[in-house]
Amino acid sequence: AAQLGVPCLVPRSGVAEATLVRGADVRPVDSLAEAVVSALEPVGIRPAAVPVNPVGPPLLDLSDVRGQPVARRALEIAAAGGHHFLMTGPPGCGKTMLARRLPGILPPLEHDELVQVATAWSAADRVWEGGLSRPFRAPHHSASLASILGGGSGRLVPGELSLAAHGVLLMDELGEFSPHLLDSLRQPLEDGEIRLARRGLSLAFPAQVQLVAAANPCPCGHLGDRTSPCVCTEAAVARYRRRMSGPFLDRFDIRIAVGRPGSIDGPRGERSSDVRERVVRARALAMSRGCINGHLDQAGLEAIEMESPAEAMLRDALAMGRISGRGFARVRRVARTIADLADCQVVAESHVAEAMALRGGP
């Protein structure tokens, strides 16, 4: 309605969401009679814009995590660049704890992002009450394909993927999700939207999410664990790992192995607010070039300035088969983010080396 320049009649319960749209002539009504009168008025009574609570619900703080310096560093880099992030490790090492603290170090939603989030939630018959905090969704591994991707037997409804738009989608126990579902995520993650079709109707829902996943290294979870021996057979480990295809794992810019912390009695970690300041600065540098680094297209990748030794290191890794063609691009993206966090205009060899180290895991 705002784009067409026409009034928009909405139920009073929807005024808070409707007034998020700038320039909309919102006319709240409670009955059909009110709707007729309001539609015939040349100028409607515009309700005052409902202020958005910038704080939203309380977020978990990164200071709760003790130890795990490598995982914390990887989480910060993932937040700064909007990179998909996979953690693999035994049960109880803190993978889920870390992932659930990612929203607390992300910058607040921009206005256009907030409108798209509220629209997606409204289309799913829900009200967005998260303020300017970014959405966080964590579907169970038993969730159906339709509940995550969207769909429905009647009208098309956004799924968890779209409810997490411009925020975080956590897939805990990644190896327990259906292999078909995981492979169905590949294209939406690449395109930033998912298109669903039913009975000749085709709709596009947002899917620009930051995917964070946690997985055990094997069915029992103790492969490579120093404290508990693995009881899985080689065949069981192979079947488990085949559930996560190579093309799907290639979508993760950052893949790390997380070990058990040496101690849980150490000092508290750095607060989320301090880490968020660095993340916001790094994102601002990336946005000055057009977009965050996790969304760089081929032209953006080619425009990355790299020192000669850094470029040589990356090309040698590609020639030796240590990374794939897609991995080559993803390492460049992560290296650019590391350089932004260090406030460096040119990507150095040390930035590439760290980016390559963060592309381990399964």
Side-chain angles (χ1 to χ4, degrees), residues 1-9 21 23-27 38-39 41-42 44 46:
Q3 292 171 356
L4 295 172
V6 297
C8 182
L9 308 182
V21 181
D25 182 359
V26 177
R27 303 187 183 186
S38 183
E41 289 291 331
R46 297 192 181 214

Side-chain angles (χ1 to χ4, degrees), residues 217-274:
C218 65
C220 79
H222 296 293
L223 183 65
D225 192 350
R226 298 189 302 270
T227 59
S228 301
C230 175
V231 297
C232 303
T233 64
E234 290 186 11
V237 174
R239 282 196 303 271
Y240 177 79
R241 292 190 171 181
R242 279 198 300 270
R243 295 177 65 86
M244 298 169 282
S245 69
F248 172 72
L249 291 176
D250 234 5
R251 262 58 182 181
F252 291 96
D253 292 354
I254 299 176
R255 305 197 305 236
I256 65 168
V258 182
R260 294 188 183 277
S263 171
I264 59 173
D265 299 324
R268 293 176 68 86
E270 193 176 14
R271 295 178 305 171
S272 290
S273 57
D274 296 330

Side-chain angles (χ1 to χ4, degrees), residues 10-362:
V10 300
R12 294 188 189 278
S13 60
V15 169
E17 293 173 279
T19 54
L20 292 175
V21 181
R22 289 172 178 160
D25 182 359
V26 177
R27 303 187 183 186
V29 296
D30 281 328
S31 65
L32 180 60
E34 281 190 21
V36 171
V37 172
S38 183
L40 294 176
E41 289 291 331
V43 179
I45 302 174
R46 297 192 181 214
V50 178
V52 178
N53 179 8
V55 179
L59 300 174
L60 298 173
D61 200 279
L62 197 56
S63 63
D64 298 333
V65 180
R66 300 170 190 264
Q68 301 292 12
V70 174
R72 289 174 59 97
R73 169 68 173 170
L75 192 72
E76 179 178 339
I77 294 169
H83 303 289
H84 302 317
F85 180 30
L86 170 62
M87 293 175 282
T88 306
C93 66
K95 305 185 298 293
T96 305
M97 187 178 186
L98 278 160
R100 289 187 174 277
R101 280 151 181 78
L102 177 57
I105 63 175
L106 293 174
L109 289 166
E110 300 290 339
H111 183 268
D112 291 345
E113 294 173 334
L114 175 62
V115 171
Q116 193 172 54
V117 168
T119 302
W121 279 63
S122 182
D125 291 329
R126 305 188 187 193
V127 177
W128 172 246
E129 297 178 340
L132 297 180
S133 298
R134 293 185 178 269
F136 177 84
R137 306 296 296 174
H140 191 260
H141 58 76
S142 63
S144 68
L145 187 72
S147 68
I148 292 182
L149 299 184
S153 57
R155 67 185 182 89
L156 294 176
V157 177
E160 294 288 345
L161 182 63
S162 298
L163 295 180
H166 300 298
V168 177
L169 179 68
L170 168 62
M171 300 187 75
D172 205 0
E173 302 294 344
L174 185 67
E176 302 300 326
F177 282 86
S178 157
H180 175 59
L181 188 151
L182 296 182
D183 283 334
S184 297
L185 287 171
R186 284 159 45 188
Q187 200 62 43
L189 289 175
E190 204 76 18
D191 296 342
E193 70 172 19
I194 181 166
R195 186 166 291 278
L196 303 174
R198 295 288 188 280
R199 298 173 188 172
L201 173 66
S202 178
L203 290 178
F205 291 128
Q208 198 172 80
V209 303
Q210 184 170 2
L211 178 61
V212 179
N216 293 328
C218 65
C220 79
H222 296 293
L223 183 65
D225 192 350
R226 298 189 302 270
T227 59
S228 301
C230 175
V231 297
C232 303
T233 64
E234 290 186 11
V237 174
R239 282 196 303 271
Y240 177 79
R241 292 190 171 181
R242 279 198 300 270
R243 295 177 65 86
M244 298 169 282
S245 69
F248 172 72
L249 291 176
D250 234 5
R251 262 58 182 181
F252 291 96
D253 292 354
I254 299 176
R255 305 197 305 236
I256 65 168
V258 182
R260 294 188 183 277
S263 171
I264 59 173
D265 299 324
R268 293 176 68 86
E270 193 176 14
R271 295 178 305 171
S272 290
S273 57
D274 296 330
V275 178
R276 190 190 308 116
E277 289 182 8
R278 297 195 295 269
V279 168
V280 169
R281 285 198 301 269
R283 284 206 174 201
L285 284 173
M287 290 303 297
S288 68
R289 297 189 296 268
C291 68
I292 59 175
N293 298 317
H295 299 162
L296 284 173
D297 58 13
Q298 187 59 38
L301 287 170
E302 293 174 355
I304 293 177
E305 296 183 62
M306 303 185 74
E307 295 178 353
S308 296
E311 189 75 44
M313 174 184 286
L314 197 52
R315 296 198 177 278
D316 287 346
L318 179 63
M320 295 170 63
R322 292 174 57 195
I323 56 175
S324 65
R326 181 176 279 114
F328 179 85
R330 297 195 182 282
V331 169
R332 287 178 74 95
R333 290 189 180 100
V334 175
R336 179 64 269 178
T337 299
I338 295 170
D340 287 340
L341 283 167
D343 200 18
C344 295
Q345 182 176 349
V346 181
V347 176
E349 188 176 14
S350 61
H351 304 146
V352 172
E354 185 176 9
M356 290 181 63
L358 293 175
R359 195 161 173 80

